Amino acid sequence: MDFSLNKEQTMIKDAVERLMHRHYTFAQRDTYARGAAGWSEAMWQRYSEVGLLGLFDSDVGGPVEAMIVMEAFGHSLVLEPFLAAVLLCGRAVQRAGGGSHAELLQDIAAGRLLMAFAHTEPSSRYELSRVATRATCKDRRWILSGAKSAIMHGDCARRLLVSARVAGEPADPSGIGLFLIDAGSAGVRRTGYTTQDGLRAADLVLDRVEVVAADVLGPPGAMFPLIQELADVAIAATAAEAVGAMQALHDMTVAYLKTRRQFGVAIGTFQALQHRCVDMLVELEQARSMALYAAMMASEPDARSRSAAMSAVKVQITKSSRYVAQQAIQLHGGIGMTTEYAASHYFLRLMAMQARFGDGAHHLNALASIDGREVLPAA
Amino acid sequence: MDLRYSPEEQEFRGEVREFFRSVLPREIRDKVALGRLPSRDDIVRWQRILNARGWAVTQWAPEWGGTGWDTVRQYIFREEMYLADAPEPLSTNVTLVGPVVIAFGNEQQKRHFLPRIANVDMFFCQGFSEPEAGSDLAALRTRAVRDGDQYIVTGQKLWTSYAHQADWMFCLVRTDESARKQDGISYLLIDMASKGVTVKPVMTLDGGHHVNEVFLNDVQVPVTNRIGEENRGWHYAKFLLGNERILTGRIGLSKSRLRRARDLAARVPAGGSTLAASHAFREKAAALEVELKALEITTLRVLDEVRRQTGTAQDPKISILKIKGSELAQATAELLLEVAGPHALPRQEDWASGADVACIGPEWAATAAPNYLYLRAATIFGGSSEIQRNIVAKNILGI
């Protein structure tokens, strides 16, 4: 058991934190958010220059590296599509694409290609195997029809990684395939929008979209394990992001309590507020522990153990972030409600995270469905 | 970074597990498994078994009998102990007074007391709290007046666990009335057989006899029984409380309670099936398991920091472990109470206290209420949760 970072990990941490410090103040972020894309192309190139966009590659970095980056990104409320394009799509292509997609991976790492993972559907909610979008094979081509929703950064992605059912009933884990489509293909109708936390997303309607054989990832019909793996990667990443955001919000709240004066004294001298602040810290530390647990369990080969662990992570992260965010607003008072002050933006990010990759209730339900004296894998 | 236990650590776990399995006397294990209190004889007997193996005082300096294990091994040892339904080594001896004697005692005191503390040839209780000094411990009023090579001690201690079973008490007394309250306190070891010591039981919510009032009436204590310097006792006690709080998380114990709740729920009928099949129960149990997992990692992180940075138990993050650990101890006991349901109603404190009497109703349910009730004190003793929050606010938040 060892909690320390190695030399390479420390270098990544320093590099990301330096980037955030120079280029991601709250005011700079606001400028990026107001741009047409909703994020900064210049930042994207900087991430590429320091090697972050290659982090899907297990030779470049594993879950600990992803955790380091996501925590720093959460701390600055980063807007760029790192999770969607790199950690999810990069990984999916690398794991399932074989040699034929090497060029795609190079393009992702170089910052030339944006991809998005189009999996959730209007009626799938958090159920990973509920895929109603259909893929039928005809003359060695696949024809995709259906609808996808809330695709993170789906608005700007040039290529989309789409899950579709080649066989079975809507909730069967078997019979799901993964297909690469161009966002501009005939039959693709895309609606982009901004989410509550300032990120961009898209809904998609696919009407007989053609996919050539070369753009099918892995054996169609057997891709559910990879989808599950991606969801677990996403939960681990989100956990780290939440910890970064909670830390920033907690620091902000402590600083506010020290400076804000009422009744002639700093409000931080009031014990009721001090204790609330400590309870926020307890929740934050519990969340941090689970983000570490997530980084450890993300490479667990046994899918059931891994997913159970990630469910536990999401349960804790949801609980902690809800408490920390709500109390941060409460302790700030009116100023916490305004959009000109950073706290509200952290609140929005922490809220939005809860509805991605399954909320606390969903994952608690998943854990409660497991039999045994313990539902989590032994360490 | 690697949070998995290494093969060596897992091997160590196996060794500890096998040791507990082979040497823990069955009658003691059965008592602990059922949540009954081990007797004084059980505690002494068990600690001597541990001591014979060199495992009674694992955290002490190796020259005084410690094992030199790193924090992870210490943690594994404790966890396996709880999972084996073994009693803890006597905490007043092992966790509280021993480390203070090692850190602040003179050579003669160390040679005299430490082997006896380790082997429970001296059974210690803690004389800290008083009627007017609870959370504000430094306000204590028990007075020790120097008279030649003796102190004459007069006052009253309260909430003294084990005083009715102990041979010795480590005690905070006021030796300087004029100084700032924290700077006029000394740390004495008092023989409970001394003239002028009277112990009266205080019965608690659960009906058990855990704590006492101790009256000290002109008790003569040799000056050689003072640990460290006169008027520095408060600082020694603070050192000691950090030690206490690292362990008050007692995650292994909460884990074992949760496991027991799940096992028992499978026997309890509910809604045409069993309680274990009820989704509400399963969600509650799962939520507790998640929090325990998080606290386990938080504990290992804090232990790791303590080891690397300061080497002492003064880290204010330890307070976080106490706050959360005591809450989870209460929550797991509450779950067991719910599992016991109406079987928890018979009031039978004698049986719970380990007396040789018949149990009313199923044995598995008979301690659910006493344990739940006793554990309401978990967020009060060892520095209440509110005091812990004050400590964290002051030290971490800098407010």
Side-chain angles (χ1 to χ4, degrees), chain B residues 105-264:
Chain B
N106 60 38
E107 276 308 301
Q108 202 182 343
Q109 288 170 331
K110 288 183 198 179
R111 274 199 305 275
H112 180 71
F113 285 106
L114 290 175
R116 291 171 173 82
I117 291 172
N119 204 47
V120 207
D121 298 331
M122 295 173 168
F123 192 122
F124 269 88
C125 63
Q126 170 180 283
F128 278 16
S129 299
E130 297 183 5
E132 301 300 324
S135 284
D136 183 12
L137 184 59
L140 60 91
R141 295 199 291 210
T142 293
R143 237 170 358 122
V145 180
R146 187 77 177 257
D147 179 18
D149 56 1
Q150 313 243 42
Y151 285 107
I152 308 298
V153 180
T154 302
Q156 183 190 351
K157 294 291 173 182
L158 186 57
W159 315 126
T160 317
S161 299
Y162 300 119
H164 56 302
Q165 298 172 321
D167 318 302
W168 283 78
M169 174 165 70
F170 55 95
C171 192
L172 291 180
V173 296
R174 186 156 303 285
T175 38
D176 185 350
E177 306 273 357
S178 61
R180 190 177 74 112
K181 65 181 179 180
Q182 289 86 353
D183 295 330
I185 293 171
S186 298
Y187 189 104
L188 299 185
L189 305 184
I190 298 178
D191 186 341
M192 294 294 277
S194 310
K195 192 163 168 284
V197 177
T198 314
V199 177
K200 282 192 180 166
V202 176
M203 307 313 284
T204 44
L205 194 58
D206 57 312
H209 179 194
H210 308 277
V211 293
N212 304 274
E213 286 176 290
V214 179
F215 297 92
L216 302 159
N217 192 10
D218 289 337
V219 178
Q220 296 183 356
V221 180
V223 172
T224 51
N225 282 5
R226 189 191 71 225
I227 301 296
E229 295 171 38
E230 195 170 73
N231 298 328
R232 292 286 299 162
W234 176 256
H235 306 280
Y236 308 151
K238 262 175 67 175
F239 162 87
L240 173 156
L241 287 173
N243 271 320
E244 186 181 7
R245 282 168 198 156
I246 289 184
L247 294 167
T248 41
R250 288 189 170 82
I251 297 162
L253 198 52
S254 292
K255 267 190 182 174
S256 145
R257 228 179 266 120
L258 176 59
R259 192 182 269 194
R260 198 167 135 74
R262 278 180 168 139
D263 287 348
L264 295 173

Side-chain angles (χ1 to χ4, degrees), chain A residues 1-5 250 254 258 268 271 274-275 277-279 281-283 285-286 288-290 292-293 296 312 319 364-365 367-376 379, chain B residues 1-6 9-10 72 259 262-263 279 282-283 286-287 289-291 293-295 297-298 300-301 304 308 320 323-324 386 389-390 392-393 396-399:
Chain A
M1 184 148 319
D2 175 18
F3 289 93
S4 55
L5 300 179
H250 191 258
V254 171
K258 287 183 193 169
Q271 194 183 38
Q274 291 177 359
H275 284 193
C277 233
V278 172
D279 287 340
L281 183 71
V282 172
E283 284 300 320
E285 292 302 333
Q286 290 284 84
R288 190 187 301 283
S289 291
M290 288 312 258
L292 288 163
Y293 182 62
M296 174 182 74
K319 175 173 178 280
L364 186 60
N365 180 57
L367 286 175
S369 306
I370 302 171
D371 288 314
R373 300 179 87 192
E374 263 107 38
V375 298
L376 295 178
Chain B
M1 182 182 302
D2 188 353
L3 272 64
R4 283 165 303 191
Y5 291 107
S6 67
E9 285 161 351
Q10 283 178 357
V72 174
R259 192 182 269 194
R262 278 180 168 139
D263 287 348
H279 209 71
R282 296 170 76 105
E283 287 208 344
E289 190 178 335
V290 170
E291 290 218 60
K293 171 57 76 181
L295 185 63
I297 298 170
T298 307
L300 289 165
R301 282 171 48 212
D304 195 52
R308 280 165 197 276
I320 292 177
I323 293 170
K324 203 73 205 177
E386 288 67 29
R389 287 184 174 95
N390 287 348
V392 179
I396 297 186
L397 309 182
I399 295 175

